Amino acid sequence: MYELLKTIMIEELEVEADHVSPDASREDAGLDSLATFELSLALSQRFGVTIADEDLFGLKTLADIAEFLEKRIGGGAPQDAGLARLLGGEEGFHPDRPAPAHQLARNETPFQPPESVLDAITRAAAEANRYPDPACGALRAALARHYDLSPDRVAVGAGSITLLQALLTVTAEPEAAVAYSWPSFDGYEVLADLAGFRTVRVPLAEDGHDLDALAATVDEHTRLVLLCNPNNPTGTASGEADLLRFRDAVPRTCLVVLDEAYCEYARDPGLGARLLTSWPNLIVARTFSKAYGLAGLRVGYLLAEPGLISRVQRMVMPLSVSDVAQAAAVASLAAEKELLGRVQDTAAERDRVRAALLALGFDVPPSEANFLWLPLGARAQEFAAACASAGVDVRPYPGDGVRVTTGTAEDNDAFLAAAEMNRP
């Protein structure tokens, strides 16, 4: 597998041969953020299965990547057939192979949008010959009413990650640093690298944020702290009292981003917006991709002080949020009661699956998101491969654990059946 990986890197990514060895780090091999993305695309095209670039970021050496590919694509097949299947020579290999029956790797909601939202999408699509509103005025106004804020405290973009990229761009400067917990959302490293930041990772404490350690890393070079709450991939969340202590420990010269992509599933979904009133250097990031079920339309937003919102909004590509996406987001806010009922159903399923996993002997921390975390350590890739063999797609973090999205009852039962066959 390593030799095949080497060939792809040299021929398709034009990496110099003397930079490619099994013990070479991603950085030594020239796999910066952009090259890692290109590698994931090349591998996905070559093998006919989805290999996300984020899957490769946690792997340190080319040998690690080769081992990941062997397990990810081999899917538990007999060793003597593994390489043939990877090369496409095995009869069972099909580039157009359908997606796994149970997709529990991407933290999507299993529910399609409500009828009222689908109607809004249809109406907006009929006007697709027109350019969208570059200011997203209707959505900014609706969000301002929703949070009882002025519209100048709301920025809208094509997913919250786009807005985080804009924020990092406007705050970047020589020797600037950004701090975050680890493991956490692996997009942080990508965005920080693209903006030229030095990154500081702070290990989690018992699967949750170590806020004291995070505060201790902040120095005169730290421009931002990125705090995913509830945390992806562990599902744990810091409460108001802990965050207020963190606020008091961080200087006002350092911006704090509270990334609440999964806040609707948490015990205190209004926490971030409530903290804005007493935390001037706080930025709250939210999205319509998760609980609202609009992942395919890409809509996210920031809440912050007007001056900061103005700087970020100027960096966002004009017309990046379509009128279809904007109409769907506005309609989703109006349908919030129905959508939050679905959130409760998902939370109940999440807790049911956790209880079953605990009964099987797995260590699973309580979650306030729409996924569960299994801290399997060195067994993570092996467990994910076993799930893939059973038609269940989960998200491995090599050397750390596996994240499992809460899907339908059928999805979850299929995962539990796979877990029972691969218990600790």
Side-chain angles (χ1 to χ4, degrees), residues 57 66 119 148 162 173 205 213 226 237 301 328 365 371 378 390 412 415:
F57 280 116
D119 288 344
D148 194 22
T162 299
E173 59 185 43
L226 302 173
Y301 57 99
F371 53 84
N412 302 330
F415 165 69

Side-chain angles (χ1 to χ4, degrees), residues 233-304:
T234 60
T236 51
S238 298
E240 183 170 8
D242 290 335
L243 288 173
L244 287 174
R245 284 194 297 271
F246 182 70
R247 174 200 65 185
D248 296 338
V250 175
R252 297 294 175 89
T253 55
C254 177
L255 298 173
V256 176
V257 177
L258 198 61
D259 185 350
E260 293 191 319
Y262 304 94
C263 63
E264 289 86 1
Y265 300 97
R267 288 175 294 177
D268 189 357
L271 177 58
R274 192 166 66 248
L275 290 174
L276 281 172
T277 60
S278 62
W279 198 339
N281 50 322
L282 179 68
I283 301 157
V284 175
R286 289 193 170 185
T287 182
F288 286 93
S289 295
K290 306 303 180 183
Y292 287 94
L294 301 182
L297 291 180
R298 312 302 303 132
V299 194
Y301 57 99
L302 299 184
L303 308 175

Side-chain angles (χ1 to χ4, degrees), residues 44-49 88 92-98:
S44 297
Q45 292 173 338
R46 177 70 67 98
F47 298 135
V49 295
F93 177 82
H94 301 284
D96 57 347
R97 178 181 296 161

Side-chain angles (χ1 to χ4, degrees), residues 77-93:
Q79 275 190 317
D80 58 355
L83 185 57
R85 293 182 67 229
L86 292 173
L87 293 172
E90 182 78 359
E91 187 176 353
F93 177 82

Side-chain angles (χ1 to χ4, degrees), residues 44-114:
S44 297
Q45 292 173 338
R46 177 70 67 98
F47 298 135
V49 295
T50 299
I51 301 174
D53 51 297
E54 62 181 21
D55 287 333
L56 304 183
F57 280 116
L59 305 174
K60 296 182 173 59
T61 68
L62 298 189
D64 292 338
I65 295 176
E67 181 183 3
F68 167 81
L69 293 173
E70 183 72 47
K71 293 179 178 178
R72 172 70 175 83
I73 303 166
Q79 275 190 317
D80 58 355
L83 185 57
R85 293 182 67 229
L86 292 173
L87 293 172
E90 182 78 359
E91 187 176 353
F93 177 82
H94 301 284
D96 57 347
R97 178 181 296 161
H102 307 284
Q103 299 189 49
L104 303 180
R106 301 170 70 178
N107 291 349
E108 300 157 332
T109 177
F111 307 112
Q112 71 173 28

